[in-house]
Amino acid sequence: MQKGPIEENCICPACSKFSRGYIRHLVKAEEILGLRLITLHNLHFYLDLMTRARGAIENGSFNAFRKTFVGGYKTRTELAEVNV
């Protein structure tokens, strides 16, 4: 079971109060709370992303923001290599 949050350094209610393993258990058990927690996390993620993107657009640094944001994600190939 994974004891950490869905996403490290996330301050949404799902990440700050529930472990990733517990949320997975809720989803597997078809408990509606699991889906609600995932939705809360996703909404928080997108709201934060749009706030940061808007700020980058306003100060003229969107291209740098985009490169940094996209650079923080791994491709499917990189993920597969890690999980082998």
Side-chain angles (χ1 to χ4, degrees), residues 1 6-7 14 26 30 54-55 70:
M1 181 167 14
I6 296 171
E7 183 177 352
L26 291 172
E30 299 182 7
R54 188 177 301 111
V70 172

Side-chain angles (χ1 to χ4, degrees), residues 1-8 14-15 17-27 38:
M1 181 167 14
Q2 295 189 3
K3 297 184 181 196
I6 296 171
E7 183 177 352
E8 293 295 327
C15 289
K17 296 181 182 165
F18 300 94
S19 72
R20 184 177 185 163
Y22 180 63
I23 294 172
R24 182 179 187 279
H25 159 73
L26 291 172
V27 171
I38 292 170

Side-chain angles (χ1 to χ4, degrees), residues 50-66:
M50 292 302 108
T51 299
R52 293 185 304 149
R54 188 177 301 111
I57 291 168
E58 288 172 353
N59 69 27
S61 63
F62 181 77
N63 199 33
F65 167 78
R66 181 187 58 79

Side-chain angles (χ1 to χ4, degrees):
M1 181 167 14
Q2 295 189 3
K3 297 184 181 196
I6 296 171
E7 183 177 352
E8 293 295 327
N9 302 319
C10 180
I11 60 169
C12 77
C15 289
S16 61
K17 296 181 182 165
F18 300 94
S19 72
R20 184 177 185 163
Y22 180 63
I23 294 172
R24 182 179 187 279
H25 159 73
L26 291 172
V27 171
K28 289 289 194 178
E30 299 182 7
E31 292 285 344
I32 194 72
L33 177 60
L35 299 177
R36 291 182 74 172
L37 291 173
I38 292 170
T39 299
L40 277 173
H41 172 73
N42 288 341
L43 289 173
H44 181 270
F45 175 85
Y46 282 114
L47 179 61
D48 181 60
L49 175 62
M50 292 302 108
T51 299
R52 293 185 304 149
R54 188 177 301 111
I57 291 168
E58 288 172 353
N59 69 27
S61 63
F62 181 77
N63 199 33
F65 167 78
R66 181 187 58 79
K67 286 179 183 178
T68 302
F69 179 80
V70 172
Y73 286 89
K74 295 182 179 171
T75 65
R76 289 182 184 180
T77 305
E78 291 171 327
L79 288 173
E81 291 171 359
V82 171
N83 292 324
V84 171

